[in-house]
Amino acid sequence: MSKLQTADIIVFFVYFVIVATYGYYIYYKRRAKELDAQEYFLAEGSLTWWAIGASLIASNISAEHFIGMSGSGFALGLAISSYEWMSAAALIIVAVFIIPVYLKNRIFTMPQFLSRRYNDQVSTIMAIFWLLVYVFVNLTSILYLGALAISSISSISFEWCIIGLCVFSTIVTLAGMKVIGYTDVIQVLVLIIGGLVTTYLSLYLLAQNYGYGNNIIKALGVLRKEAPEHFHMIFKPTDKYYKDLPGISVLIGGMLVNNLAYWGCNQYIVQRALGADLPTARKGILFAAFLKLLVPVIAVLPGIVMYVLHSKGLFAAEMTEGGVVKPDHAYPTLMNLLPTGLKGVAFAALTAAIVASLAGKANSISTIFSLDIYRKYINKNQSEKKLVFTGRIAVVVAMIIGGLVAPALRSLDQAYQFIQEYVGFIAPGVLAIFLLGFYWKRTTAAAAMTGALFTIPFSTLLKFLPQWSKGAFPDYPFLDRMMIDFVVIVVLMVIISLAGSKKPDAEHQIEVDPSMFRVSRSFAVGAIIITGVLTALYTAFW
């Protein structure tokens, strides 16, 4: 495969200079103002709706979307888009029913909510857990997959890719949430442009090979004709990919649990909106939902195109390794076919996605450690300036740990899928703790602690019991296990809460007012449009 040429390197360097210059401008725009903790960690009141929306998407999209989702598009088709399109629906729910609770109660971190609603013990246990997961699972996996992707399309070694990503992301993160939020606007613009360039090239190649010249519209028709099985959104139980996307569960089952936990109870994501007022936060989240509708176009569609081209006998060598077809080679193969210069744009897009995710994750690590661990237990009287300094030290330490651990993931087979399932074991418990904490005053700290400690063992039991019982127990798909886990934990928490005090704990309550959930006319119109688009998509590809 061809590597980056001089023109590609120049394009990438221009991208780097633009991001660095803009970040420097944002950082020093208010140099005279003292940078306090809330300004550094949350950019309180200074992020616009479009910056919040762009930052949400930039933090969410990383190498796994370009590499992993294109590979899944190659293997199982458009159905993998459910992870993106159902996220748009989940974001609307979060904007209406979850974000108002955080903002009304001045919640800045997820552990802070748990402390106020339950107790410090629940909060601290979850804070430590989140830190461990963010550093040793999320941060390291983004570094590993990002370095793997970049090294596969450039002459840069895997190790130097790790170092470069760590340094670049640390520079962006140290400037605080304001710089992250506004530079994410550029990052999203670059990754969308770069992604669309790669998608256009794939459709152009398809049109060329089927005698349609450069008519990419006819190429879309070729996809439906040559790979009709790749355009089903809902799989039947008899389909070989049912275990990955189990039928209707992608709409109302485990997929919803997964998305609500990710978008509504995840410091890494929610933090973007916590420093804004409610109308701005809601507009930003709605903007992110619109952008989510575009992700399958730039991530999934190229994989389906590569499937059709490969079925015709093209790119056999590029798509195989050791005689076995490797779906995850689809996107790197397309990128290596890009003309000089445009390849630099796609390379910048991939790097932008990785750096934005790393910066967002590192900032969340810094926020939780500084506000929920250091200030609470180590130095309660630390000044705002020193608290910001502590946060910056946490960023550097987290990046160093991530850089050292990331290469070890090379020993894992299917590292991304393994990590996704591992993190998914905790999502049902987290969502149950938060939703009951929001909307049921009787929920007790004992119930929350039980939910937190029970979710992983129960998920593990559901996963391995079919093997232990030699098939006597049904082997549920991953998303179905998440839904079962969620329902069981909710029931368990309700029973424990009812068995405890008959009166709600007045000391550990949060304010929830029905008026908080009223939405503006413009938001309602936007939500209806997104819902209509989703309905049309699932109806068309059912």
Side-chain angles (χ1 to χ4, degrees):
M1 295 184 182
S2 61
K3 298 297 184 180
L4 296 177
Q5 304 299 316
T6 303
D8 300 317
I9 296 173
I10 291 174
V11 170
F12 177 77
F13 182 75
V14 170
Y15 148 74
F16 179 87
V17 170
I18 290 174
V19 172
T21 302
Y22 187 60
Y24 181 89
Y25 166 74
I26 294 295
Y27 182 71
Y28 283 98
K29 187 176 181 181
R30 298 184 180 181
R31 190 174 182 179
K33 181 180 177 180
E34 181 71 18
L35 187 65
D36 61 20
Q38 290 185 15
E39 179 73 13
Y40 175 75
F41 294 116
L42 300 172
E44 188 172 23
S46 60
L47 290 184
T48 59
W49 64 266
W50 44 269
I52 291 172
S55 189
L56 282 169
I57 297 302
S59 300
N60 170 243
I61 297 178
S62 191
E64 67 269 16
H65 281 78
F66 288 101
I67 308 299
M69 291 201 74
S70 288
S72 295
F74 182 98
L76 55 87
L78 193 65
I80 196 65
S81 300
S82 288
Y83 277 99
E84 305 305 307
W85 287 339
M86 291 314 297
S87 287
L91 280 164
I92 294 174
I93 296 174
V94 169
V96 176
F97 297 107
I98 295 181
I99 284 296
V101 180
Y102 292 140
L103 297 184
K104 180 72 173 180
N105 293 276
R106 300 289 291 170
I107 300 297
F108 301 128
T109 70
M110 300 302 96
Q112 180 195 356
F113 166 78
L114 296 176
S115 177
R116 184 180 299 183
R117 178 58 183 85
Y118 298 113
N119 58 36
D120 285 342
Q121 187 178 12
V122 174
S123 171
T124 301
I125 288 176
M126 291 304 295
I128 293 173
F129 174 81
W130 272 314
L131 285 176
L132 292 174
V133 171
Y134 285 168
V135 174
F136 290 100
V137 179
N138 297 121
L139 199 67
T140 54
S141 66
I142 295 171
L143 280 169
Y144 165 69
L145 291 169
L148 200 64
I150 291 175
S151 62
S152 70
I153 58 174
S154 69
S155 57
I156 307 172
S157 69
F158 176 82
E159 291 73 17
W160 278 108
C161 286
I162 291 282
I163 294 172
L165 288 173
C166 285
V167 172
F168 194 178
S169 303
T170 299
I171 292 172
V172 174
T173 312
L174 289 179
M177 179 54 76
K178 186 194 299 184
V179 173
I180 294 173
Y182 281 107
T183 54
D184 276 351
V185 176
I186 299 178
Q187 312 272 41
V188 165
L189 185 63
V190 170
L191 71 87
I192 288 177
I193 292 174
L196 289 176
V197 165
T198 307
T199 299
Y200 176 83
L201 170 72
S202 66
L203 291 171
Y204 176 80
L205 287 173
L206 191 66
Q208 289 281 310
N209 279 277
Y210 278 84
Y212 293 125
N214 58 358
N215 192 330
I216 65 171
I217 302 299
K218 288 188 176 180
L220 289 171
V222 169
L223 290 178
R224 293 295 302 271
K225 180 181 178 181
E226 297 293 328
E229 73 284 357
H230 275 53
F231 285 87
H232 294 296
M233 292 300 299
I234 305 297
F235 290 146
K236 297 178 181 179
T238 54
D239 195 285
K240 65 178 180 178
Y241 292 113
Y242 181 81
K243 294 280 289 183
D244 297 310
L245 295 166
I248 207 71
S249 289
V250 301
L251 298 179
I252 59 175
M255 183 74 77
L256 184 62
V257 173
N258 182 65
N259 281 330
L260 287 178
Y262 180 83
W263 294 104
C265 312
N266 185 351
Q267 181 72 29
Y268 168 49
I269 294 298
V270 179
Q271 188 166 338
R272 272 95 188 113
L274 294 184
D277 58 77
L278 183 57
T280 303
R282 276 179 166 163
K283 288 177 184 177
I285 295 172
L286 193 65
F287 180 48
F290 274 111
L291 293 177
K292 264 297 180 183
L293 298 178
L294 294 176
V295 175
V297 176
I298 65 176
V300 180
L301 194 58
I304 301 176
V305 173
M306 282 301 297
Y307 170 80
V308 174
L309 291 173
H310 182 262
S311 299
K312 198 178 179 182
L314 300 174
F315 310 115
E318 291 84 351
M319 289 301 301
T320 57
E321 184 178 308
V324 178
V325 176
K326 295 289 186 179
D328 284 352
H329 286 192
Y331 202 84
T333 299
L334 280 173
M335 286 191 64
N336 280 305
L337 295 172
L338 284 169
T340 301
L342 287 180
K343 189 175 180 181
V345 175
F347 182 67
L350 185 60
T351 306
I354 298 165
V355 169
S357 288
L358 287 172
K361 190 68 70 179
N363 184 266
S364 294
I365 292 168
S366 171
T367 303
I368 291 177
F369 176 78
S370 301
L371 301 183
D372 296 299
I373 301 295
Y374 193 85
R375 187 167 65 177
K376 185 180 290 185
Y377 297 105
I378 300 175
N379 192 343
K380 296 181 179 180
N381 300 316
Q382 192 172 35
S383 66
E384 294 286 311
K385 185 177 180 179
K386 288 185 177 180
L387 195 62
V388 170
F389 178 76
T390 300
R392 286 172 170 158
I393 294 297
V395 169
V396 175
V397 172
M399 281 294 181
I400 291 174
I401 294 174
L404 292 174
V405 175
L409 297 184
R410 276 181 153 178
S411 61
L412 292 176
D413 185 32
Q414 298 291 322
Y416 177 68
Q417 288 82 351
F418 170 81
I419 292 166
Q420 280 289 91
E421 187 163 355
Y422 173 78
V423 175
F425 278 8
I426 192 64
V430 170
L431 184 62
I433 292 169
F434 274 73
L435 289 185
L436 288 177
F438 290 152
Y439 304 119
W440 194 41
K441 292 183 177 181
R442 284 286 301 274
T443 311
T444 63
M449 183 65 72
T450 303
L453 297 177
F454 184 73
T455 181
I456 292 179
F458 188 64
S459 295
T460 304
L461 184 66
L462 288 175
K463 178 177 174 61
F464 293 106
L465 191 57
Q467 300 176 24
W468 298 336
S469 64
K470 297 181 180 181
F473 190 83
D475 185 11
Y476 294 108
F478 171 54
L479 289 175
D480 286 350
R481 293 202 309 266
M482 288 186 67
M483 190 63 190
I484 295 170
D485 195 2
F486 173 73
V487 171
V488 169
I489 290 175
V490 167
V491 172
L492 185 62
M493 289 180 63
V494 168
I495 292 173
I496 292 173
S497 296
L498 291 176
S501 175
K502 295 183 179 180
K503 293 183 179 180
D505 184 356
E507 182 182 354
H508 292 286
Q509 290 297 328
I510 58 172
E511 186 176 352
V512 178
D513 184 346
S515 64
M516 295 161 44
F517 307 124
R518 295 173 186 167
V519 298
S520 65
R521 184 176 299 177
S522 60
F523 179 91
V525 170
I528 291 171
I529 291 173
I530 291 175
T531 304
V533 170
L534 290 173
T535 302
L537 287 169
Y538 276 90
T539 301
F541 299 115
W542 187 269

